[in-house]
Amino acid sequence: MIEQDVAATQADVHLNGRADCLEAPVPPTGIEDYELVIRPQPGWIAIDWREMWAYRELLVFLVWRDISVRYKQTVLGFAWAVVQPLMMMLIFTLIFGRFMKVPTGGYPYPVFVFAGLMPWTFFSQGFGAAATSLANQQALLTKVYFPRLFVPVSAAMVFLVDMAITMVLYAALMVIYGVAPSWGIVWLPLLIVLTIIATLGLGVTLAALTVFYRDFKHIVPFLTMILMYTAPVAYPISIHSQVWRAILSLNPMFGIVGAYRSAILGLEWDLPSLAISATTAVASLIFALFYFRKTERAFADYA
Amino acid sequence: MSQPIITCDRLSKRYILGGFRSTGLLSYTPPSLRETISHRLREIRDVVRGKRDRKPREVNEFWALKDVSFEVSRGEAIGLVGRNGAGKSTLLKILSRIVEPTGGCARLRGRVASLLEVGTGFHPELSGRENIYLNGAILGMRKVEIDRKFDAVVSFAEIEEFIDTPVKRYSSGMYVRLAFAVAAHLEPEILIVDEVLAVGDYTFQKKCLGKMQDVATGEGRTILFVSHNMGALSQLCSRGILLENGQVTANGPMREVIEAYFKSASDHRAAQTTFPIEPSKPCQFLSAGLYRADGTPAADFGCDEPFVIRISLEVRRNMLALTPWFVLYNPEGTPIFCSDVRDHDPSITGRLGVGVHSFEIKIPAYLLAPTTYMMNLFCSSHMEQHDTRTSCCEFTLRDLTSARPNRPGVLRLMLPWNHQEEPTHLAMPQPAGARS
């Protein structure tokens, strides 16, 4: 009998994850064994992966909502996803390819620059959308409970669709210029994951900060500009000295953009830069997740 | 005996009004980035200079909830009453995990769904069908669950033929119906509902209330319900909790709690009420008061005299179809009547632009029964409620002149009895001593 009680207590402790809030053992039968404890939780809290998993369908719905809403009532519809990188490519080709004659390792400039524009467009649009996502969804924050992390994550993930479209466009571009991809392209999926990590690392942190300080809405455009010119989007990584490469690699997109070119076009890999950038990206995401969890409980008070 | 499904143990919630608090991030007016940075710099400066005994900055605390404790058993329907700002919404938000309590502990032994607003997460560009799925997911439903209930939701909302139209083309009534229908088909063990029945037309409010009653009684779920509609509360809830200034002051049978609420409201009795200015509202009531026919303010009237309700409304932003209206309640919480600014001139809402508007509503003599009344004031536009003032302008009517001062009923009509006389065949002889 006593053993049974102990077993029941342990089962409950396991379910609640908090032994301190249990006063009497509850028989683990039916719905009685579920208990949710609401109390102030100071300090840092780990991500509740189990809850996120339980709500996973909501993440899908939020992404799907943003995708289906974005191009409603537009004449060109999803063509807009193509227009932006295409325009960037044309401008860059004119300025950096034609006027400044940036070295491209022998590749036509459009093919060269587009390889970098793909991850950059995803990154810049993704973290920008994530940064303002929470501040723009006050009703959701103050009126209903769900894992708040989904809001910036879904806002950024939407741009994966755009990235997929631009990849098709890039494939067409390579066919037109008669450029074959190198074997390094097998690393592309890994690089895409790294791009997502970098995007969320910055986007999630900014999203939480923007709830408290609307100043960050105005900081995002500056940040985008700074990160873009310090990343080798328009120019090859080779124009920098080793020292500068190490410093600039603190911008996660520095190593990542370079690596996209190495993977697709077979340009020389700069592994130290990639290593530093990858570390920055992962570290920023870990920080972002903890910072978000720490601050999310005050979102509704501020939003 | 099973454990209570909800246990609140000394729940408290503190807000800091203005000012800065370095240990946390709770305040109504968040500090700007500049303030934060300068505050941190000052801290650093103080540490460098070795100043430790810095006096704490004066903070203006506000306890929205203070030591709130109560229990709810499985299957109970609890009505939460209290004046505006008593902490009802804060309590619901804590139990819905939207805001974190400052102190105390709450245990919920069941799946919670809360409906604090109708149509949270609705996207105007999406169709009704898409919004059902989106809103359902936001409220915590699984896709299979929504699939299963889809037809029931659509028929409850009565929008079958518009299901694939974007909701931005819906009438406000359709929008509200759809939003409530989704929420009404949630199947949580605990349902938390804030004042959402104040929307929609009367028939639909009735339908919603009926649905909530089914949920509470038929399906055995636990409901926590906030409303200013005392009629709905007494119909739906068996037990009530009265919150005053963030504390529980009554907890018992619904009828008794409503009485306590009316009694507590009469303590701050004022026939003329001036409301605090809330600059964030696009429009708000400035004052409401009761006056005799000759213009003197009063709170006691005879049933035989007409009187005037004066309402002053400040509009700070032009809004479409801005409509002030009010409902009069008797002490049982029964709504006696509702009056709307458009009653005599539907076009008047077009003239309610930015500015201060005053209204005078004349209540005729011989209409209301002699008892105490309270008024709930509302100002709504197209779909939004901008300002709500509850339990204001309490006043008493007395019957001093009629031959029957105590009569049942909510009306005191003095109807003429038209009189005719005919002879009877069954006339009885007068008993001796009676007057002839």
Side-chain angles (χ1 to χ4, degrees):
Chain A
M1 195 56 217
I2 292 165
E3 274 176 22
Q4 263 183 355
D5 270 350
V6 171
T9 315
Q10 280 170 347
D12 271 292
V13 171
H14 178 67
L15 266 166
N16 304 316
R18 310 189 74 86
D20 54 350
C21 232
L22 262 182
E23 278 155 8
V26 189
T29 49
I31 48 175
E32 297 263 321
D33 57 1
Y34 177 87
E35 182 174 286
L36 174 78
V37 179
I38 298 168
R39 54 163 46 189
Q41 299 182 56
W44 301 90
I45 317 165
I47 293 280
D48 188 347
W49 296 108
R50 202 206 308 216
E51 180 181 59
M52 304 259 280
W53 177 248
Y55 272 93
R56 63 193 179 277
E57 283 181 350
L58 177 58
L59 182 62
V60 178
F61 274 120
L62 287 174
V63 173
W64 161 82
R65 174 194 71 175
D66 288 352
I67 293 171
S68 56
V69 163
R70 193 137 57 98
Y71 299 114
K72 281 219 167 149
Q73 275 202 8
T74 59
V75 177
L76 290 185
F78 272 93
W80 282 112
V82 178
V83 170
Q84 207 201 349
L86 214 56
M87 286 306 292
M88 291 268 275
M89 184 196 79
L90 288 176
I91 293 166
F92 280 23
T93 305
L94 198 66
I95 294 172
F96 294 97
R98 181 64 57 88
F99 300 153
M100 294 175 63
K101 305 222 186 307
V102 165
T104 60
Y107 288 100
Y109 189 82
V111 174
F112 170 84
V113 77
F114 211 106
L117 273 176
M118 272 194 311
W120 174 257
T121 312
F122 171 75
F123 174 78
S124 65
Q125 291 187 326
F127 93 76
T132 52
S133 60
L134 284 172
N136 290 341
Q137 307 246 1
Q138 291 175 5
L140 278 187
L141 291 187
T142 55
K143 298 292 182 194
V144 67
Y145 175 81
F146 61 92
R148 270 72 171 94
L149 194 54
F150 283 180
V151 175
V153 170
S154 71
M157 285 304 124
V158 170
F159 292 96
L160 277 180
V161 177
D162 292 36
M163 178 129 127
I165 295 172
T166 48
M167 274 183 177
V168 175
L169 190 70
Y170 189 50
L173 203 68
M174 287 176 85
V175 171
I176 292 168
Y177 280 95
V179 178
S182 89
W183 285 112
I185 202 161
V186 296
W187 294 109
L188 200 59
L190 215 60
L191 290 177
I192 292 174
V193 171
L194 206 54
T195 318
I196 295 172
I197 290 175
T199 309
L200 293 183
L202 192 57
V204 168
T205 309
L206 285 174
L209 281 170
T210 311
V211 175
F212 303 116
Y213 312 110
R214 296 295 145 96
D215 310 55
F216 282 93
K217 265 188 186 173
H218 308 284
I219 291 174
V220 167
F222 290 108
L223 207 57
T224 313
M225 204 163 67
I226 293 165
L227 290 176
M228 174 159 140
Y229 286 110
T230 51
V233 178
Y235 54 83
I237 212 163
S238 55
I239 68 167
H240 290 301
S241 69
Q242 289 295 341
V243 179
W244 272 108
R245 283 189 210 181
I247 296 168
L248 292 173
S249 295
L250 292 175
N251 168 3
M253 290 314 281
F254 184 88
I256 291 174
V257 166
Y260 267 77
R261 279 203 188 105
S262 311
I264 299 171
L265 302 174
L267 293 173
E268 190 196 340
W269 288 82
D270 183 359
L271 290 177
S273 298
L274 183 58
I276 297 173
S277 287
T279 313
T280 322
V282 172
S284 74
L285 183 60
I286 292 171
F287 170 79
L289 293 180
F290 277 103
Y291 180 70
F292 196 88
R293 281 292 278 177
K294 183 177 157 64
T295 53
E296 86 178 319
R297 64 196 101 142
F299 283 174
D301 292 323
Y302 272 83
Chain B
M1 183 61 206
S2 66
Q3 277 197 307
I5 193 164
I6 303 175
T7 313
C8 289
D9 186 18
R10 285 171 282 120
L11 270 187
S12 301
K13 174 75 183 174
R14 175 180 53 191
Y15 285 103
I16 311 290
L17 302 171
F20 186 86
R21 194 162 72 104
S22 58
T23 49
L25 291 161
L26 301 171
S27 111
Y28 270 137
T29 44
S32 72
L33 188 60
R34 191 175 55 80
E35 277 172 4
T36 310
I37 292 171
S38 68
H39 179 85
R40 296 276 180 232
L41 285 179
R42 235 178 292 133
E43 276 183 350
I44 292 169
R45 188 194 63 191
D46 290 349
V47 169
V48 170
R49 290 184 184 171
K51 258 200 249 168
R52 279 293 166 85
D53 53 352
R54 203 160 54 87
K55 60 170 184 234
R57 277 181 52 174
E58 216 167 275
V59 283
N60 198 357
E61 284 186 347
F62 167 65
W63 289 89
L65 286 181
K66 188 91 177 113
D67 292 334
V68 169
S69 305
F70 62 90
E71 289 185 344
V72 180
S73 318
R74 210 165 280 277
E76 256 189 314
I78 302 285
L80 217 53
V81 291
R83 299 155 71 84
N84 279 356
K88 303 183 299 285
S89 296
T90 309
L91 179 59
L92 293 196
K93 280 187 178 179
I94 288 174
L95 293 180
S96 320
R97 286 192 285 168
I98 292 165
V99 299
E100 199 184 52
T102 316
C105 177
R107 289 148 213 238
L108 305 172
R109 298 179 184 86
R111 201 160 79 109
V112 185
S114 48
L115 186 55
L116 302 190
E117 181 190 63
V118 158
T120 307
F122 262 43
H123 200 291
E125 298 282 352
L126 296 177
S127 72
R129 181 189 302 278
E130 293 166 325
N131 268 311
I132 290 177
Y133 279 94
L134 180 66
N135 192 230
I138 286 174
L139 292 173
M141 273 196 264
R142 306 286 301 272
K143 183 168 177 297
V144 284
E145 215 176 322
I146 307 171
D147 283 336
R148 191 153 40 82
K149 293 185 187 143
F150 187 84
D151 292 332
V153 170
V154 174
S155 73
F156 186 88
E158 304 161 21
I159 50 150
E160 285 88 346
E161 61 248 70
F162 305 105
I163 190 65
D164 289 310
T165 312
V167 295
K168 64 177 177 184
R169 309 225 188 286
Y170 280 25
S171 74
S172 55
M174 285 159 68
Y175 185 96
V176 166
R177 286 208 300 273
L178 179 62
F180 186 85
V182 179
H185 288 80
L186 283 168
E187 278 181 358
E189 281 120 28
I190 304 169
L191 183 62
I192 293 176
V193 186
D194 204 348
E195 184 104 74
V196 288
L197 296 178
V199 292
D201 58 26
Y202 182 70
T203 347
F204 191 70
Q205 283 188 18
K206 266 255 186 275
K207 195 170 167 182
C208 296
L209 202 60
K211 178 77 191 171
M212 297 227 329
Q213 211 149 18
D214 289 350
V215 169
T217 55
E219 300 166 35
R221 287 198 225 119
T222 311
I223 294 190
L224 212 58
F225 182 40
V226 163
S227 182
H228 290 295
N229 181 344
M230 298 296 151
L233 279 170
S234 53
Q235 200 182 336
L236 187 69
C237 304
S238 49
R239 201 152 69 83
I241 290 172
L242 172 61
L243 279 180
E244 278 181 287
N245 301 322
Q247 287 173 309
V248 177
T249 51
N251 182 349
M254 195 69 233
R255 185 166 297 278
E256 288 172 22
V257 170
I258 291 178
E259 271 167 32
Y261 170 54
F262 270 93
K263 209 176 251 158
S264 81
S266 15
D267 292 344
H268 328 242
R269 172 179 179 127
Q272 285 72 35
T273 318
T274 314
F275 305 111
I277 302 285
E278 294 169 52
S280 63
K281 289 190 174 175
C283 72
Q284 77 155 97
F285 290 106
L286 296 177
S287 65
L290 297 154
Y291 299 86
R292 286 189 204 287
D294 63 7
T296 50
D300 278 278
F301 303 97
C303 282
D304 56 345
E305 61 172 333
F307 61 96
V308 170
I309 300 175
R310 281 192 201 150
I311 299 168
S312 164
L313 172 75
E314 181 170 35
V315 181
R316 301 177 184 132
R317 169 156 65 77
N318 281 322
M319 276 169 286
L320 205 59
L322 191 70
T323 310
W325 51 288
F326 68 86
V327 182
L328 216 61
Y329 291 91
N330 69 7
E332 283 87 57
T334 313
I336 302 301
F337 70 82
C338 165
S339 188
D340 184 301
V341 75
R342 297 166 298 188
D343 284 348
H344 268 253
D345 177 9
S347 70
I348 190 169
T349 57
R351 301 195 296 275
L352 299 181
V354 172
V356 177
H357 301 271
S358 302
F359 304 95
E360 253 191 38
I361 303 102
K362 202 167 276 173
I363 311 291
Y366 302 119
L367 175 67
L368 301 172
T371 180
T372 304
Y373 294 90
M374 270 202 250
M375 198 162 81
N376 287 0
L377 276 169
F378 305 91
C379 187
S380 46
S381 70
H382 207 45
M383 257 176 308
E384 251 179 298
Q385 198 84 261
H386 295 292
D387 199 15
T388 307
R389 305 285 166 176
T390 53
S391 317
C392 34
C393 296
E394 186 184 322
F395 64 94
T396 308
L397 292 187
R398 293 177 206 287
D399 188 347
L400 305 169
T401 51
S402 86
R404 179 182 281 276
N406 299 313
R407 35 182 125 191
V410 295
L411 298 179
R412 170 58 44 92
L413 300 179
M414 294 297 201
L415 302 175
W417 287 45
N418 271 330
H419 173 226
Q420 278 166 4
E421 190 178 351
E422 282 169 40
T424 172
H425 307 294
L426 301 170
M428 284 191 270
Q430 291 289 333
R435 71 191 172 99
S436 54

